[in-house]
Amino acid sequence: MIKFPEGFYWGAAASAYQVEGNNKNSDWWEWEKKSGKEPSGDACGHYQLYKEDFALARELNHNAHRLSIEWARIEPQEGKFCLDEITHYKEVIASLRQCNIEPVVTLHHFTNPVWFAGSGGWKNPAAADLFLRYVEKIVGALAEEVHFWVTINEPMVYAYHAYILGAWPPQERSYLQAKKVITNLISAHVKAYRAIHDIYKRRNLKPPAVSIAKNIQAFAPSVPTLRNRVAVYLRQRSFNFAFVNSLMRHKSLDFIGINYYTRGLVNVESWLIQVLLFDESKAKESGLKKNSLGWDIYPEGLYKLLLKFRRYRLPVFILENGICTPDDNLRWEFISAHLKSLYLAMQKGVRVMGYLYWSLLDNFEWDKGFAPRFGLIEVDYNNYRRRVRESARKFCEVCRTGTIDI
Ligand code: BGC
């Protein structure tokens, strides 16, 4: 049996666009119509059902929950803020507090207001300042009730999918534009970090804990050729660490938010730098078990990567770790194996504050639509009924006791 420390945060994560439904002023909403992809529609109806969902999380002994604020609801037109939506999110946070669940609030999770996207989105040199105005508004409204802030979810994943792969809006394929986007995301975080701290200081509140959610991948060569090993080294550096290094240089992280799902097997066919860094690999079959999107299940990767994160001397918070699968036994196997890895890393000196499973509910998995099932709680999209999965009950025991039999 292993035992996690007292005061550990246990819970699940979600993002507004993926669960709320009807985020009609967001760029994804527009894009769904054009792209012919499965539309998010009412999603999980969480915008209306959040109280019921949080009551379930409470029943499952969660003491923390990560949610995001939809920027396009708060600022549907440039510079015009919607008070009703601000009130809505105040009520959402209050409802978590009533359940004794600590909110972890993300300010940007992949989606943008249509007007922002129209003005060049994250390529626009003014992007960070435009983001800052929204941040000041919403943090100003919620500061008294929120301690944990995540400015930007997975900036590198966003830049890669939207500006290199061309799979997400605005579907560009340009290294140069991606680089601009990353620079602006860094600047947006740093400005937001300072603004959030200023707000708390001005109001004499206990200092907040601010970070990003950094997706990390355990890269490994598919076949250990020199070229593949060089590619692994470069990807590790640029994808896993470069963004965090920049934020560290700006002294703008209070902890490190980590999202971990899988390993990336690397097999590249040329020495071109963009191929080494970004090409989707035609890797050999790994032989590992997979989630329903074909991602390798590789819990050891979390352990190995966390040891590398010790160098930052900051506490780590696992803000996402999860599996989409029709096999709920595999879900539990996934969770328990990752918790074991996490525990082993803690034994080696990694300070971990908490673990949030992705996701509380089945939800809208971006360009993959509703087919992938990540939830601890199943959603029947015909009637929005929730059903607690067996894996959620097992995880509930971990949350209750802070221990797990391994
Ligand atoms: C994202 C989530 C997404 C999950 C599963 C993370 O990269 O933050 O929005 O649903 O992975 O793909």
Side-chain angles (χ1 to χ4, degrees), residues 18 109-110 153-154 215 261 295 320 358 365-366 374:
Q18 293 176 272
H109 197 123
F110 297 160
N153 181 67
E154 301 189 343
N215 181 298
Y261 286 86
W295 306 352
E320 288 183 30
W358 181 273
E365 179 55 22
W366 307 113
F374 276 94

Side-chain angles (χ1 to χ4, degrees), residues 132 135-136 139-140 143-144 149 189-210 254:
L132 185 64
V135 169
E136 286 179 331
V139 175
E144 268 75 11
W149 291 100
H189 167 83
V190 174
K191 288 183 178 195
Y193 177 91
R194 292 182 184 148
I196 298 171
H197 274 272
D198 279 354
I199 291 172
Y200 281 65
K201 205 178 272 164
R202 279 202 304 274
R203 296 192 193 170
N204 267 327
L205 296 169
K206 176 180 153 210
V210 185
D254 299 320

Side-chain angles (χ1 to χ4, degrees), residues 126-152:
D129 288 322
L130 295 173
F131 179 65
L132 185 64
R133 190 170 52 186
Y134 145 72
V135 169
E136 286 179 331
K137 190 77 182 175
I138 193 69
V139 175
L142 300 176
E144 268 75 11
E145 295 302 328
V146 177
H147 176 65
F148 289 106
W149 291 100
V150 175
T151 56
I152 293 160

Side-chain angles (χ1 to χ4, degrees), residues 172-299:
E172 293 192 23
R173 283 166 166 268
S174 156
Y175 302 112
L176 203 71
Q177 301 307 340
K179 200 161 182 307
K180 266 194 215 163
V181 165
I182 291 167
T183 306
N184 288 335
L185 288 168
I186 291 172
S187 152
H189 167 83
V190 174
K191 288 183 178 195
Y193 177 91
R194 292 182 184 148
I196 298 171
H197 274 272
D198 279 354
I199 291 172
Y200 281 65
K201 205 178 272 164
R202 279 202 304 274
R203 296 192 193 170
N204 267 327
L205 296 169
K206 176 180 153 210
V210 185
S211 187
I212 55 166
K214 180 70 194 81
N215 181 298
I216 53 174
Q217 267 200 44
F219 294 107
S222 168
V223 185
T225 60
L226 177 64
R227 196 167 55 204
N228 283 347
R229 280 186 285 138
V230 171
V232 163
Y233 170 78
L234 292 173
R235 283 172 195 221
Q236 175 98 274
R237 249 184 40 171
S238 71
F239 184 83
N240 286 340
F241 297 109
F243 203 92
V244 176
N245 290 341
S246 299
L247 303 192
M248 288 299 287
R249 278 196 291 279
H250 288 96
K251 298 197 184 351
S252 64
L253 291 173
D254 299 320
F255 66 98
I256 301 186
I258 295 283
N259 296 356
Y260 175 78
Y261 286 86
T262 186
R263 92 171 163 185
L265 276 189
V266 178
N267 193 22
V268 286
E269 288 167 356
S270 131
W271 281 99
L272 281 176
I273 185 71
Q274 56 271 38
V275 172
L276 292 174
L277 275 170
F278 304 117
D279 249 29
E280 284 193 282
S281 281
K282 292 167 198 70
K284 277 205 332 209
E285 169 48 48
S286 68
L288 295 179
K289 288 190 188 170
K290 297 193 175 14
N291 75 9
S292 64
L293 288 168
W295 306 352
D296 278 354
I297 299 175
Y298 188 60

Side-chain angles (χ1 to χ4, degrees), residues 73-74 80-89 137:
R73 285 191 187 271
I74 303 299
K80 300 227 162 71
F81 292 95
C82 176
L83 293 181
D84 286 350
E85 294 288 9
I86 296 178
T87 305
H88 169 80
Y89 285 108
K137 190 77 182 175

